[in-house]
């Protein structure tokens, strides 16, 4: 148990959104660090992209910060997702970034890491969400909320001790997450090794169009739903974000209102092969295989279900991995209509024209066996990751308990 600590306001122990001092010493051509919102990884709490800009390009219209400042996303949904990081390794010790960051600069009584872990708490983010101002989709955490938040301030030695504990717990989470990603990549690497490049078709397998092997393409409906998870006896409708990184996340859904009658034809079933027909340039055409489902989950109109002909000679797991291959992903993006600045859309007619190589069924089944075995390992890794994340969150909550 941490010794009793005094309680202070966040605005008392750090400067919030400090201005660039007049004596900054930067010249027009000086290179400074640049951090757009997309450069901060909400999962790891790190700055993943190290970008550089000339001071002349960023001195107006961007948020200034310095080495060891904490960046905290103030806009929805980035704030709820946990986008926060400590700015480190900045050229000349100065940086600029998105205007949607709050900047916290630690005073002598707190460590930067202490502030970072404080704003990373789920409890803090829940309270910050209640303080939102602005219109839907453009809601932000006001600086006044940040300044008035109560934070425990133990002695610096105690802060360092607890930061070390939290850093170790966070490292375990990171390692668990990396292990899971490596297993996911291994499944696709085995597919590439067995069948070769999906576009080059180096083994000269027969080529068919997707329409040749599909019996039909199902699409669902998207009625207005409750923005909450469903109860066991309720029905849910998948969000588009349920398909991400070629994986299916059933928990990402909304609840169908009681007045809406569920269409059983749109229910997601085990063994389904899904594909997002509408999304951003990066995510349009994302496939996912449904390994399991708890039931009472419906397709939205933005997700297709690809139903193979029984006599097609194509295994759904083989096709899922094929649709995930970089060469096929590029072809799917080219099929999408719309502009890169908006949501792109793939029509059923265009999708049916997609050429795919059809390897011998015995080879496909061998791949499916490998994929199934690795999926079992993934489930174990996911459980271990969930335990590590729960431990880390519990430590955060105990460390900053009011």
């Amino acid at each position: 148990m941490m010794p009793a600590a005094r309680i202070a306001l966040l605005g008392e122990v750090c400067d919030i959104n400090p201005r660039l001092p007049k004596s900054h010493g930067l010249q027009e051509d000086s290179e400074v660090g640049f951090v757009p919102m997309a450069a901060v990884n909400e999962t790891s709490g790190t700055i993943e992209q190290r970008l550089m800009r000339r001071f002349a390009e960023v001195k107006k219209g961007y948020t200034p910060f310095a080495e060891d400042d904490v960046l905290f996303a103030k806009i929805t949904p980035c704030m709820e997702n946990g986008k926060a990081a400590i700015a480190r390794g900045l050229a000349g010790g100065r940086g600029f970034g998105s205007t949607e960051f709050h900047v916290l600069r630690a005073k002598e009584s707190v460590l930067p890491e202490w502030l970072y872990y404080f704003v990373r708490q789920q409890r803090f983010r829940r309270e910050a969400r209640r303080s939102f101002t602005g219109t839907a989709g453009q809601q932000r955490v006001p600086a006044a909320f940040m300044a008035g938040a109560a934070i425990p301030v133990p002695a610096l030695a105690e802060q360092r001790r607890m930061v070390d504990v939290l850093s170790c717990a966070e490292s375990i989470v990171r390692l668990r997450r990396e292990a899971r990603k490596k297993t996911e990549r291994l499944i696709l690497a085995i597919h590439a090794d067995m069948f070769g490049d999906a576009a080059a078709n180096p083994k000269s397998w027969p080529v068919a169009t997707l329409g040749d092997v599909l019996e039909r393409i199902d699409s669902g409906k998207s009625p207005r739903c409750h923005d909450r998870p469903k109860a066991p006896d309720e029905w849910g409708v998948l969000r588009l974000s349920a398909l991400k990184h070629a994986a299916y996340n059933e928990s990402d859904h909304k609840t169908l209102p009681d007045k809406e009658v569920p269409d059983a034809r749109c229910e997601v079933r085990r063994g389904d092969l899904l594909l997002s027909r509408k999304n951003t340039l990066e995510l349009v055409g994302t496939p996912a295989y449904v390994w399991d489902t708890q039931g009472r989950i419906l397709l939205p109109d933005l997700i297709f279900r690809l139903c193979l002909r029984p006599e097609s000679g194509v295994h759904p797991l083989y096709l899922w991995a094929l649709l995930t291959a970089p060469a096929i992903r590029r072809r799917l993006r080219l099929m999408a209509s719309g502009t890169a600045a908006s949501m792109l859309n793939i029509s059923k007619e265009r999708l049916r024209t997609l050429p795919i190589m059809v390897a011998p069924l015995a080879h496909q089944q061998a791949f499916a066996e490998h994929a199934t075995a690795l999926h079992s390992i993934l489930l174990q890794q996911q459980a271990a990751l969930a335990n590590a994340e729960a431990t880390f969150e519990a430590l955060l909550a105990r460390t900053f308990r009011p």
Side-chain angles (χ1 to χ4, degrees), residues 370-393:
H370 289 306
T372 301
L374 287 170
H375 178 70
S376 296
I377 295 173
L378 271 175
L379 292 178
Q380 297 171 29
Q381 291 174 327
Q382 182 58 43
L385 173 59
N387 287 334
E389 289 175 335
T391 299
F392 176 59
E393 285 297 336

Side-chain angles (χ1 to χ4, degrees), residues 75 140 146 393:
I75 191 168
R140 298 173 175 86
M146 302 293 291
E393 285 297 336

Side-chain angles (χ1 to χ4, degrees), residues 271-284:
D272 278 351
L273 178 56
L274 308 180
L275 185 131
S276 62
R277 72 164 180 87
K278 191 171 186 178
N279 214 317
T280 61
L281 178 63
E282 179 188 2
L283 296 175
V284 66

